[in-house]
Amino acid sequence: MSVHGGRGGRGDVVQFPRHREREVRRQNSKPENRITIREYDHIIFICTVVLVGIGLVMVLSASYYSALHSGNVYHFFTTQALGAGLGLFGLFFAATVNYKLLSKFATGFYIFANGLLVYTALFGIEFQGARRWVAFGPVNFQPSELAKIAVILMLALYINRDRNRVNTVRGVLTYIFLTAIPVGLVLWGRNLSTAIIILAVAFVMLFLASPYFWRFIAAAGAAAGAVVGFLLIDYHFMGGVRGSRFMVWQDPFSDPSRFGFQTIQSLFAIASGGLFGRGLGNSMQKRYYLPEAQNDFIFAIIIEELGLFGGGIVLLLFAVIVWRGAKAAMESRDTLGMLIATGITTMIAVQVIINVGVVTNFIPNTGIPLPFISYGGTSIAVMMTAVGLLMNVSRYQKTG
């Protein structure tokens, strides 16, 4: 590297030392364009595997008496184990294939997931007035779980293509439209809990991508007010189940034989667990007192058998995953990775908060499974695949 016009005269050439030339080049380079590819986040992986292991043990314990009716006490455990095996394959696949390559199929995946939701609402298996499952031979599949990942990838791709979109009315309306389609289809199948999760994930992703902080606070307040208003109208004028659950939430013992029954039995289980629990397999509430204890209320059985200590360990593992997921989002090399990590981390955190809140009666009863632990082959397979995608994003971090 050289310049003209130094001390030796106009025509002289002054040579810069080689180390100075390298320094200039380094200073002129853009730090945001430099990335480091590191190993997978082993902490996320270990916490996930431990939670899955705890889930398998607790599903076997909580479902023992319910499974007696089927003639096979390992019925629920076997299904959960198969889902975990499929999820482990999905985890390694999602962690290995670069998330930028996977995002290229986001639009097609989004359309496919919505198509499955339409099919489910029309022809799905009906259970307690809701259509949430479709059957593929002997296997029952819940498309709404798949829709969660499809929405995260689609919204991340939409924002990544042009960050300025979310600063315009048209861009935000398009974002809302992309969210409203799966939410509406899920509600059509009478699956309010999944709709809540999708809305929460979409809100957080848009919140992080847009600079208009107070607008989102106002929108969240308006949405919360609308939900409470709907529940009150549903209870007083329509006699609906959701409104009744909301009113009974304030005092479960006001309706101990119907809408308050599950909550009361859950609280009995937690109260009897104490600090270290009754011991693994010794729950009393799972003996036909707490309906389908292996599903949404399995956390109550965990506390009853393993105590507050065991329940605290489970919550700690979830907290570590959320922490590492937030770290992966903040250190991501690009907007796409940041939004994908944010969406997945939010999905896990919201499900844990709502599930534990319902079990402890901090929030009204709604059916949301505890990730990696509650019974459900589709749920555990999809959640483990999502963790693989989170591990994928965590490999690529900004430097400089």
Side-chain angles (χ1 to χ4, degrees):
M1 181 175 180
S2 61
V3 295
H4 294 276
R7 288 184 303 174
R10 185 171 183 176
D12 292 344
V13 177
V14 178
Q15 297 289 335
F16 278 78
R18 290 186 179 275
H19 72 276
R20 175 59 179 163
E21 181 177 351
R22 288 195 298 267
E23 182 180 352
V24 171
R25 289 178 179 177
R26 181 182 63 81
Q27 292 176 350
N28 289 336
S29 64
K30 295 182 178 181
E32 61 270 20
N33 291 334
R34 299 200 303 271
I35 62 170
T36 297
I37 302 178
R38 56 184 178 184
E39 293 185 357
Y40 300 111
D41 193 320
H42 296 106
I43 296 178
I44 294 179
F45 178 75
I46 291 172
C47 289
T48 300
V49 171
V50 173
L51 284 170
V52 170
I54 293 174
L56 289 172
V57 173
M58 293 311 303
V59 165
L60 177 61
S61 175
S63 67
Y64 181 84
Y65 289 93
S66 298
L68 287 175
H69 292 293
S70 66
N72 178 14
V73 295
Y74 299 104
H75 169 71
F76 295 100
F77 173 80
T78 301
T79 302
Q80 189 78 348
L82 290 174
L86 182 61
L88 192 62
F89 171 79
L91 184 151
F92 284 120
F93 174 80
T96 302
V97 181
N98 191 297
Y99 66 88
K100 283 196 170 184
L101 176 61
L102 293 175
S103 68
K104 294 181 179 180
F105 301 92
T107 303
F109 186 38
Y110 174 82
I111 295 173
F112 173 72
N114 285 323
L116 281 178
L117 291 176
V118 173
Y119 179 85
T120 304
L122 292 174
F123 309 108
I125 301 172
E126 185 172 353
F127 180 71
Q128 296 181 350
R131 294 182 184 272
R132 302 181 182 181
W133 294 269
V134 292
F136 294 99
V139 179
N140 292 339
F141 175 74
Q142 193 170 359
S144 60
E145 294 292 331
L146 202 64
K148 298 175 186 176
I149 308 300
V151 170
I152 291 173
L153 291 176
M154 185 65 204
L155 295 182
L157 180 65
Y158 174 75
I159 296 176
N160 183 67
R161 285 176 175 171
D162 185 1
R163 282 289 296 269
N164 292 324
R165 283 175 170 173
V166 294
N167 299 332
T168 65
V169 174
R170 180 179 179 181
V172 172
L173 290 177
T174 303
Y175 184 93
I176 293 174
F177 178 74
L178 291 173
T179 305
I181 293 176
V183 168
L185 293 175
V186 166
L187 289 175
W188 185 14
R190 300 179 64 85
N191 191 350
L192 177 62
S193 57
T194 299
I196 292 173
I197 294 172
I198 293 176
L199 285 172
V201 169
F203 177 84
V204 173
M205 291 175 66
L206 183 59
F207 175 79
L208 291 181
S210 174
Y212 301 112
F213 175 80
W214 290 109
R215 293 184 184 181
F216 289 97
I217 299 299
V227 170
V228 173
F230 167 76
L231 292 173
L232 292 175
I233 294 173
D234 184 60
Y235 175 74
H236 289 289
F237 301 104
M238 302 171 62
V241 172
R242 295 184 181 91
S244 299
R245 285 181 174 178
F246 177 74
M247 298 305 294
V248 171
W249 162 62
Q250 302 173 72
D251 181 15
F253 292 92
S254 64
D255 189 7
S257 61
R258 296 179 63 222
F259 296 112
F261 183 77
Q262 269 190 315
T263 300
I264 292 172
Q265 300 305 318
S266 174
L267 294 176
F268 282 160
I270 293 173
S272 62
L275 186 59
F276 296 106
R278 292 175 175 270
L280 186 62
N282 294 328
S283 167
M284 294 297 295
Q285 296 306 115
K286 70 183 180 185
R287 302 181 184 184
Y288 309 115
Y289 293 105
L290 185 58
E292 300 184 23
Q294 70 277 3
N295 290 337
D296 302 336
F297 282 81
I298 195 170
F299 189 68
I301 304 300
I302 291 176
I303 296 181
E304 185 182 9
E305 295 190 349
L306 304 179
L308 291 175
F309 179 78
I313 293 296
V314 170
L315 294 181
L316 178 62
L317 291 170
F318 279 121
V320 172
I321 291 177
V322 172
W323 162 55
R324 300 299 295 186
K327 185 174 184 293
M330 290 187 292
E331 296 180 352
S332 176
R333 66 178 178 180
D334 53 26
T335 301
L336 179 66
M338 182 271 290
L339 291 173
I340 290 175
T342 297
I344 293 172
T345 304
T346 302
M347 177 180 67
I348 295 173
V350 169
Q351 288 196 209
V352 172
I353 292 171
I354 294 180
N355 180 274
V356 174
V358 167
V359 169
T360 56
N361 199 40
F362 276 99
I363 60 177
N365 192 345
T366 182
I368 290 183
L370 188 62
F372 315 117
I373 294 180
S374 290
Y375 170 73
T378 306
S379 175
I380 192 171
V382 171
M383 293 300 294
M384 291 180 70
T385 303
V387 167
L389 194 55
L390 183 60
M391 292 168 56
N392 191 325
V393 174
S394 71
R395 294 186 65 202
Y396 302 92
Q397 64 173 350
K398 291 183 295 185
T399 60

